[in-house]
Amino acid sequence: MLQSFSVTDIGKKRKLNQDVAYASEKPVGNLPNIFIVADGMGGHNAGDYASKCAVETIVREIRGSFEKNPVRILGKAIRLANDQIRRRAKEDRSLYGMGTTVVAATCLGHYLQVANVGDSRLYIVNEEVRQITRDHSLVEEMVRVGGIDREAARTHPDKNIITRAVGALDTLEIDFFSEELKAGDIVLICSDGLTNMLEDKEIGRILRERASLEEKAGKLVAAANDNGGKDNIAVILIDLFAKE
């Protein structure tokens, strides 16, 4: 039985929470469930507006879609969110330059379908911690070409510069992933406010504890804040095989 828990936290340094987490275990349109994390960027309230606008637009478009294919449903909805953010930024100068990351996922039987733009992440955690999404960031590009190693990337001064965002350009490129889930797998969708503060081994340790999803999510947020809480934190946990 699918169970989930979602939470956002402002962190210890920010005055505004620009992270949005949306979780529906029930059907939305032709999708049996939908989970979304968006981390907004932009001055003043622009990042806050971008993440909320993206999630609201995506959910609305999924709800009204006649498509059956989940990749087409997610792709069309995220591109419409991109168009909406671009249009609003042109209408209101105070929103100029805004954008947001988006990770959206739906469980279809034993399979997980994922769409990603930006550097928020989706992991599957069991005995190991596997990052499914690939960051669209300057530092990740440097890692891929061998310019720096993974450890140096964690503390690189440019680690927050992203190369793709919803709302940044008229044309949007989206990454899609499909993964089979098995008993014991926990799906984690999160913003970089979590992953910049916690290493994968700490995330894995917390998620392997005997505790409810709510307790695990709370421990992740608390640990990120204990390590500095430099950014907003968004966490969604999903257990497709939870016992009632």
Side-chain angles (χ1 to χ4, degrees):
M1 184 183 113
L2 187 150
Q3 289 183 2
S4 70
F5 185 79
S6 62
V7 63
T8 67
D9 189 88
I10 197 168
K12 288 191 167 181
K13 304 293 184 182
R14 298 295 176 91
K15 294 179 179 177
L16 192 68
N17 190 350
Q18 298 185 333
D19 285 4
V20 176
Y22 178 90
S24 175
E25 297 173 15
K26 296 180 179 179
V28 177
N30 287 331
L31 295 182
N33 46 70
I34 184 68
F35 305 92
I36 308 167
V37 162
D39 178 359
M41 61 182 191
H44 303 297
N45 67 334
D48 175 54
Y49 183 92
S51 55
K52 287 180 180 175
C53 177
V55 172
E56 288 171 1
T57 302
I58 291 166
V59 172
R60 183 176 66 247
E61 294 303 325
I62 291 172
R63 190 170 283 129
S65 176
F66 293 105
E67 297 280 358
K68 301 293 186 184
N69 184 303
V71 170
R72 291 175 66 91
I73 293 170
L74 292 172
K76 188 175 180 181
I78 294 169
R79 288 189 177 93
L80 285 166
N82 187 72
D83 294 344
Q84 181 81 347
I85 291 171
R86 299 282 293 165
R87 185 173 62 79
R88 284 293 292 123
K90 288 174 183 174
E91 293 170 352
D92 186 342
R93 286 187 61 82
S94 71
L95 300 176
Y96 179 79
M98 69 175 172
T100 184
T101 71
V102 166
V103 179
T106 183
C107 296
L108 305 146
H110 289 181
Y111 285 86
L112 185 71
Q113 184 64 58
V114 185
N116 177 57
V117 179
D119 65 349
S120 295
R121 295 177 177 178
L122 185 143
Y123 292 85
I124 297 175
V125 181
N126 202 320
E127 289 88 4
E128 61 178 351
V129 178
R130 287 196 298 133
Q131 181 181 337
I132 304 304
T133 54
R134 290 192 299 269
D135 295 355
H136 302 135
S137 67
L138 190 62
V139 167
E140 181 64 20
E141 296 296 334
M142 294 164 69
V143 171
R144 279 183 209 166
V145 299
I148 59 172
D149 61 25
R150 188 65 65 186
E151 191 58 36
R154 284 189 54 79
T155 56
H156 195 282
D158 294 332
K159 70 177 184 294
N160 292 325
I161 299 176
I162 63 175
T163 54
R164 244 189 261 179
V166 178
L169 298 170
D170 287 336
T171 303
L172 181 67
E173 187 179 354
I174 306 167
D175 285 354
F176 295 96
F177 306 89
S178 182
E179 292 285 331
E180 186 173 8
L181 297 174
K182 63 182 187 298
D185 286 346
I186 299 292
V187 176
L188 164 65
I189 312 175
C190 60
S191 63
D192 66 349
L194 183 78
T195 52
N196 283 343
M197 295 293 103
L198 294 183
E199 294 187 16
D200 286 1
K201 62 182 180 182
E202 178 69 359
I203 291 171
R205 185 190 65 76
I206 291 171
L207 292 185
R208 283 189 286 268
E209 290 182 8
R210 287 186 174 274
S212 68
L213 293 183
E214 181 175 359
E215 289 168 333
K216 290 175 181 179
K219 288 182 179 183
L220 287 173
V221 170
N225 279 326
D226 287 346
N227 285 353
K230 294 179 180 177
D231 201 352
N232 309 144
I233 305 157
V235 170
I236 298 177
L237 296 178
I238 307 163
D239 185 351
L240 185 59
F241 302 95
K243 296 179 173 63
E244 293 188 50

